[in-house]
Amino acid sequence: KRTVAVKMIRSGELADDTEVKRFRAEAEAAARLQHPNIVAIHEIGEHEGRHYFSMDYVEGKNLAQVIGGKPAQSRQAATWLKAI
């Protein structure tokens, strides 16, 4: 009973074995991380042939929206990198 974000393979049911392996490896690697600036992974699975993982939902803009399609200023990028 919580709101989560769900990430799925874009090609869905058409994903080949290489895509599925890479996707699962990403999810499993992220699930092992524990840090205040990294969202937690809750579940990795498959439903009706579509692979997914669920993670904490974070309200707000994504990085692309924050930088508005332009390169981030060096100082700002360094600040974000330090936090990550």
Side-chain angles (χ1 to χ4, degrees):
K1 297 199 179 218
R2 62 180 160 215
T3 301
V4 298
V6 177
K7 182 171 184 177
M8 300 174 70
I9 297 178
R10 187 173 295 213
S11 55
E13 296 171 330
L14 302 176
D16 63 26
D17 287 343
T18 302
E19 287 177 283
V20 171
K21 286 178 184 175
R22 185 174 49 237
F23 184 80
R24 288 194 65 84
E26 173 191 343
E28 290 168 1
R32 288 190 295 272
L33 300 174
Q34 292 184 349
H35 188 277
N37 294 327
I38 299 175
V39 297
I41 303 294
H42 299 292
E43 182 179 13
I44 302 168
E46 177 186 349
H47 178 72
E48 296 181 0
R50 297 176 185 264
H51 295 269
Y52 70 90
F53 62 88
S54 65
M55 64 196 105
D56 289 340
Y57 174 76
V58 179
E59 183 120 15
K61 296 178 179 180
N62 64 36
L63 181 58
Q65 293 168 324
V66 170
I67 63 174
K70 300 174 187 155
Q73 296 293 319
S74 298
R75 202 172 284 283
Q76 181 62 62
T79 301
W80 289 332
L81 186 58
K82 182 179 177 186
I84 294 168

